[in-house]
Amino acid sequence: AFFAAQTPVYTYSFRGLKLVEVYDLLDTLPPPSSGINARRIVDFGDSIRLLDHEIRPEALQPGQSGEVALYLKKLGPQEHNASVLLRLTQVDGQEVWRSEGWPYGQPTSTWPLRSGLRDAHLFTLPEPLPAGLYLLSLSFYDNTTLAMLPVTYPGNAGLAAGEESAKLALLQIGDPLPAPRGAGWKFGSLAQLADATLPSTAGQQLDFELVWESLQPTDEHYTVFVHLLDAAGQLVAQQDREPQQGFAPLRLWQPGMVIRDRYQIELPAGLPPQPLTVRVGLYDSSGGRLLLADGADSALLGTVQVHKELLSAPLPPSSQP
């Protein structure tokens, strides 16, 4: 079915019987039979393609050594050489490891066109290192101008193009957080909202935390939405984003991961005192919402009472612009 939609660049027949067809797949995503997950492919500029990556070992502890392997392909000629930059960062952006230099140990301009290369990067995690989730990201930059090559995702239309780095993996280093006990809210077979710490009252903003547990990996791009509804069911405030301010997107979650995600949602000025209903859900790149087991498209977390005096009081002089 895949090749039926392609046009061969060369066909060989013998005595009227078609025996061989040759296809040029440079500008086409690889077929499923290749074993390559096309939704994980990342292009850097118009010359370097990341086909896949491996991280070994999968379970990591502070002080441990391992390897990150990049499977790269050269798509076209380059005017300047490019360097690779791998970074491992904490949620606050602090870098704990990096690898930088010529990929495969050779100038990229000397790579054979359309060749595939395995670029290995050895690492040793620092010690001590706080247990938690760490983000592995990949960039390429021009050696001459130092400009980052723009990132595109040819096999995943749900991901925005134009970034300077690609998020490759979310790694659990050290012992993982224990999964919260309780039924929670299960969104399809993908994730469970295991807990939510809602306050009973709110002032000028609503502060709370969501605790997610990953059940199944996905390549789809999902966004978390939090809606605050008034007594009439009207939307008065909301926040839509990926978990941990984009640090921990769902497409990087691995089964068993526990992700704590804090929110601070500003409430509109002049909002009268009333209970606000809090709902949480997930939607994909097309806007379709992931459903709960009962068919609902969002989880009802509870209600929070708004205090009028906190919203209507003027700001102290030191806080005014």
Side-chain angles (χ1 to χ4, degrees), residues 25-30 36-46 48-51 75 150-162 166:
L25 299 184
L26 176 62
D27 298 320
T28 305
L29 294 175
I36 297 174
N37 185 348
R39 293 174 69 85
R40 296 182 65 182
I41 289 177
V42 188
D43 286 352
F44 297 87
D46 55 3
I48 298 176
R49 170 167 289 180
L50 175 70
L51 293 171
L75 299 181
V151 175
T152 56
Y153 302 88
N156 196 334
L159 297 178

Side-chain angles (χ1 to χ4, degrees), residues 44 70 83-87 99 101 137-141 148-149 151 163-166 168:
F44 297 87
L70 308 175
S83 285
V84 63
L85 174 60
L86 273 169
R87 300 176 69 238
S99 180
S137 59
L138 172 65
S139 306
F140 283 87
Y141 62 87
M148 293 293 185
L149 303 187
V151 175
E163 300 173 339
E164 292 188 346
S165 65
L168 294 191

